Amino acid sequence: MDRIDPWPDGVGILRAAGFTVAGMALTAESVALDDWQRAGVPERVALVLGTEGDGLSARTLARVDLAVRIPMAGGVDSLNVAAAAAVAVWALTR
């Protein structure tokens, strides 16, 4: 993992390096992680995760290529950032 400054303008740096930029966020437009994985994830992906509680800012979500959510049952709507990163990386590398 690394940090890019300035953020969120740095999303352009990731795109220029050939990455599809996916923001992990629970939004009305977000794609379920398992659906994205089945559809075929691009070879180069940069995952953007927000802080626990607040998540990604609207400015960041406006710049990413897509928003991706982790489907969860039982009324749970979020995981801590470390758990979310682990689940996403595992799913995308299967």
Side-chain angles (χ1 to χ4, degrees), residues 10 19 23 28-29 35 40 43 45-46 48 53 59 67 72 77 82 88 90 94:
F19 287 92
E29 298 83 26
D35 290 342
E43 186 175 320
V45 173
V48 180
R59 288 181 58 217
M72 294 183 276
D77 65 356
W90 177 83
R94 294 191 305 164

Side-chain angles (χ1 to χ4, degrees), residues 26-76:
L26 183 61
T27 70
E29 298 83 26
S30 61
V31 175
L33 180 61
D34 51 347
D35 290 342
W36 191 39
Q37 191 268 340
R38 279 192 297 273
V41 175
E43 186 175 320
R44 293 177 58 108
V45 173
L47 292 175
V48 180
L49 293 97
T51 60
E52 294 177 29
D54 293 335
L56 295 174
S57 71
R59 288 181 58 217
T60 296
L61 287 171
R63 287 171 172 81
V64 298
D65 297 310
L66 76 156
V68 180
R69 71 180 179 282
I70 298 170
M72 294 183 276
V76 175

